[in-house]
Amino acid sequence: MASEAKPIVPTALDTILATVVGTAGVVAWLCSGHSGLILILALCSSLWILLDLLKIYNSWVSAKECEVIVSGGLMPLRPKLPAQWFALSLILQSSGLLAQLLFGWTVISGGILFFYYAGCDFACHLFYYSGSVIENSTTTLPTLAMAGLVLFFVLSGNGNSYGYMDLGRWGGLFWVLMSGIAGLAFGHFFLQYLGVKKGDERAPLVKVPGADSAQKAGP
């Protein structure tokens, strides 16, 4: 009798990352309010940017195409993403951070960041990872945590400063949510334009010892 397939659940690392982001956001808001959330959002986004830079660097210094690594598990895996995708990530996240840190434009900053996290990156996970949409949704915890942090950041302000463009807190939130919907469509079609194919397994950022021998051995 064949054993039943185990349900796909988020990885422990994704769960820990999402928990850390959410907890840090709540603690920062309790301690310093809106200013604390700005700090945590800047730190988390900066870490995300550094990881994207590392991926771009690895793709440039690699002398050959990344080899497919045998995962041995059921988790959906990321497709092979070109450098243009990570460049888009850098541009959007940097622009969103600078809009807040330099100019105090809370709604614009939130809109740009939500456009990327809840839009572009979420579309990549849902539609281009190797599983079904439901299976791929289990890989989105860190992305959803960042998107939630952006919404918390927008709602935590007083809603009356010039950073809200006379929209108020809830008006600003509405346009931030609309930017996420726009980002979802843009991300999906941009990945199609780049020729990204669904279902390609990814090579990890750090080479897994023994992965080559496992791949050569095959099933």
Side-chain angles (χ1 to χ4, degrees):
M1 182 177 178
S3 58
E4 295 183 0
K6 294 181 179 180
I8 298 177
V9 296
T11 64
L13 179 59
D14 283 353
T15 303
I16 291 171
L17 288 175
T19 303
V20 168
V21 170
T23 303
V26 172
V27 171
W29 176 69
L30 291 174
C31 293
S32 302
H34 185 63
S35 299
L37 275 175
I38 293 174
L39 175 61
I40 294 301
L41 182 61
L43 290 175
C44 293
S45 297
S46 298
L47 179 59
W48 203 294
I49 289 172
L50 288 175
L51 290 175
D52 283 346
L53 287 172
L54 177 60
K55 293 168 188 174
I56 294 175
Y57 173 76
N58 284 343
S59 68
W60 283 351
V61 301
S62 178
K64 59 181 179 179
E65 288 291 326
C66 291
E67 297 179 356
V68 174
I69 300 298
V70 178
S71 65
L74 297 175
M75 284 300 298
L77 297 177
R78 186 181 67 227
K80 294 177 182 177
L81 296 170
Q84 293 92 324
W85 177 257
F86 297 113
L88 173 70
S89 167
L90 295 177
I91 292 171
L92 291 176
Q93 292 181 91
S94 300
S95 300
L97 287 179
L98 291 176
Q100 176 61 46
L101 297 177
L102 295 183
F103 305 106
W105 296 338
T106 303
V107 171
I108 293 178
S109 173
I112 295 173
L113 293 173
F114 202 70
F115 179 90
Y116 173 70
Y117 294 123
C120 299
D121 198 49
F122 195 64
C124 178
H125 281 265
L126 281 188
F127 304 122
Y128 287 90
Y129 273 52
S130 59
S132 66
V133 171
I134 294 177
E135 292 170 341
N136 291 343
S137 66
T138 61
T139 69
T140 62
L141 270 185
T143 300
L144 290 177
M146 290 299 299
L149 186 63
V150 172
L151 293 180
F152 196 10
F153 150 72
V154 173
L155 285 174
S156 66
N158 58 27
N160 298 320
S161 65
Y162 76 97
Y164 284 83
M165 310 295 177
D166 294 326
L167 294 170
R169 181 184 288 112
W170 298 107
L173 177 65
F174 171 80
W175 288 110
V176 169
L177 291 173
M178 290 300 101
S179 73
I181 296 174
L184 194 67
F186 176 84
H188 178 56
F189 290 113
F190 186 59
L191 286 166
Q192 281 188 336
Y193 171 77
L194 293 177
V196 175
K197 296 180 180 179
K198 174 184 172 69
D200 290 338
E201 292 186 340
R202 64 175 175 85
L205 291 178
V206 180
K207 195 171 185 62
V208 178
D212 289 338
S213 59
Q215 185 177 6
K216 290 177 182 177

